Amino acid sequence: MSKSIKNQKNILAKLNIAQLNPMQEEAQLAIHSNAEVVLLSPTGSGKTLAFMLPLIAGLDRNCAEVQAMVIVPTRELAIQIEQVTRDMGSGFKTNAVYGGQSFSKDKLNLKTPPAILIGTPGRIADHLRRNTFSTDDIRTLVLDEFDKSLEVGFEAEMEEIITMLPGLKKKVLTSATMHASIPAFVGLKKPIVLNFLEEGESQLTIKTIISPEKDKLETLVEALCHIGNEPGIIFCNYKESIDRISNFLTEKKIAHGCFHGGMEQVDRERALIKFRNGTHQLLLATDLAARGIDVPEIRFILHYQLPGRSHEFTHRNGRTARMFSDGTAYILKWAEEILPDFIPDTEIEELTKASLPQASEWTTLMVSGGRKDKISKGDIAGLMFKQGQLGKDHLGVIELKQECAFVAVRRSKVNQLLQLVDGSKLKTKKVRVSVV
């Protein structure tokens, strides 16, 4: 067995993945053997692993500088890819840089340059202007969700970045839509295009729910009762709309999280953590959540307000029916509303009377220690089981960060658990455990 094949097997084992899907297999071969690859594949089909495996295989362990750069349009996507790459356990240092965290913290992390640097256009351009790290050894550039990172607003910074990477040998561009032209400054000559978009479309069902009133709040609640206890995202166009809907759902005692650009980064991250671990089944979000966030197992999305462009409609819908599973996208439409031309003819969903969605059985706790303290998920689970006296079915998802960890625990066990574990010692650190 060759060393690279053995390394890949080890990485897949760490990620609990038995084998790559057909898209990942084909993408890996194409990226290995071509200088330019454009990968089009549905949201949730595993594009990060598809480009990261060949990227890691091409890194030089004897090089102490940045060798590969991954540019993404949002902070959330940068954080997600950094997490996946670290979970792969390749032995190569990885860092993510993005607006919302301090530049001085970035500089501290980059003092020992990572082999893989992930970031948003603005923050990476800022680092390049200040010569925070050397670009001499960067051979691979990945533009993930390139349709967003190359659109108006990012163009100037993207052109600046690419002109400052003279040693590039490989360019990989990924997207979940075909609706994007690639500017000349990217410098693509004869890219190999892999298009897997057709394969994900048949798994999605689109339905329309009719609201008799122009104000659709009451119909939204009826729709949520009809859909039942399923994880889903409710999409709006404006944060003001989210605030209004959130207040209404709170009055109705329907638990949910919120996610939009007006929130602080830490609050956005915690909303996603609670959504991922089941503390919240529902997320109210703007199009910021339409791409580049890690939220598996979404059973439905609901368009409370429709986006203005067809490709954003596609990205929203791509949050469900992920990894080629099935899912439903609901359009909540006022009876007299005229839909945009890009909305297909759909089946009308008749709402049946049902009770309000049940409150989640899970609560999220924060542990004040993380990777930098050499604490692992196993350490945290051991603390919860042994000292906290939890049964296996009382402990849910554990998310480990650099400076802390988040743990889902059965709501009925929280008070007892806090008394037993708050102030305990994990490795060499005394940790606080509190409800988020």
Side-chain angles (χ1 to χ4, degrees), residues 137-424:
D137 293 282
I138 298 177
R139 300 288 178 263
T140 302
L141 175 66
V142 178
L143 304 183
D144 197 21
E145 302 283 10
F146 74 84
D147 56 305
K148 193 74 176 174
S149 60
L150 292 174
E151 70 179 11
V152 176
F154 285 134
E155 273 192 330
E157 288 163 337
M158 289 299 299
E159 184 169 9
E160 182 182 359
I161 292 167
I162 291 172
T163 57
M164 295 175 77
L165 304 177
L168 286 179
K169 302 290 185 188
K170 195 178 292 289
K171 296 173 185 173
V172 180
L173 283 68
T174 82
S175 179
T177 66
M178 296 181 67
H179 303 284
S181 57
I182 301 171
F185 65 74
V186 178
L188 292 191
K189 297 178 178 106
K190 291 184 179 179
I192 299 295
V193 179
L194 304 179
N195 188 348
F196 288 84
L197 292 176
E198 295 292 321
E199 301 188 20
E201 292 177 359
S202 62
Q203 308 298 321
L204 176 70
T205 302
I206 302 178
K207 297 182 177 181
T208 298
I209 294 171
I210 304 295
S211 170
E213 305 293 333
K214 189 173 183 179
D215 187 335
K216 299 182 284 190
L217 286 175
E218 290 288 354
T219 307
L220 173 63
V221 170
E222 291 174 18
L224 294 176
C225 294
H226 171 79
I227 293 166
N229 291 298
E230 300 276 9
I233 301 178
I234 300 166
F235 279 105
C236 302
N237 293 341
Y238 311 104
K239 61 186 180 66
E240 291 79 11
S241 304
I242 289 177
D243 293 340
R244 182 168 180 266
I245 295 168
S246 178
N247 290 336
F248 191 76
L249 294 185
T250 300
E251 286 176 16
K252 298 290 183 179
K253 295 184 169 53
I254 297 176
H256 61 279
C258 297
F259 185 83
H260 58 73
M263 297 167 62
E264 293 292 331
Q265 181 68 23
V266 65
D267 295 326
R268 277 157 50 178
E269 287 182 35
R270 290 185 181 185
L272 291 181
I273 287 164
K274 288 184 175 184
F275 190 48
R276 281 194 290 265
N277 68 26
T279 297
H280 289 148
Q281 290 265 72
L282 299 172
L283 190 69
L284 302 178
T286 59
D287 283 330
L288 188 63
R291 61 174 87 211
I293 61 169
D294 181 19
V295 283
E297 304 302 325
I298 301 295
R299 296 300 305 140
F300 76 95
I301 66 106
L302 188 148
H303 301 274
Y304 187 86
Q305 294 166 327
L306 285 165
R309 298 179 294 182
S310 62
H311 68 273
E312 291 301 343
F313 181 73
T314 300
H315 275 295
R316 286 183 180 187
N317 292 344
R319 290 289 98 200
T320 188
R322 290 164 63 84
M323 288 301 281
F324 309 111
S325 63
D326 59 353
T328 306
Y330 295 99
I331 297 166
L332 185 53
K333 172 187 176 295
W334 174 39
E336 297 180 31
E337 185 179 355
I338 298 172
L339 299 181
D341 292 339
F342 59 78
I343 303 297
D345 291 332
T346 66
E347 174 188 341
I348 302 296
E349 181 84 343
E350 298 294 341
L351 299 183
T352 56
K353 288 186 177 180
S355 56
L356 291 170
Q358 296 173 3
S360 170
E361 296 180 357
W362 298 100
T363 295
T364 301
L365 304 183
M366 184 172 75
V367 180
S368 65
R371 280 197 191 88
K372 70 176 180 60
D373 306 299
K374 310 298 183 188
I375 291 171
S376 69
K377 289 184 181 181
D379 295 328
I380 293 170
L383 175 70
M384 300 297 169
F385 290 141
K386 292 173 187 173
Q387 192 167 325
Q389 300 175 16
L390 290 185
K392 285 195 174 180
D393 60 339
H394 299 145
L395 184 65
V397 176
I398 299 173
E399 286 200 33
L400 192 62
K401 306 295 183 183
Q402 280 297 99
E403 299 176 356
C404 63
F406 297 92
V407 187
V409 173
R410 294 282 182 190
R411 188 179 299 277
S412 60
K413 298 291 180 180
V414 168
N415 291 337
Q416 172 192 318
L417 178 73
L418 290 177
Q419 292 177 3
L420 294 171
V421 301
D422 185 27
S424 298

Side-chain angles (χ1 to χ4, degrees), residues 46-62:
K47 291 191 290 297
T48 300
L49 196 57
F51 67 72
M52 200 54 81
L53 281 170
L55 185 155
I56 287 171
L59 296 176
D60 179 359
R61 292 198 179 273
N62 296 316

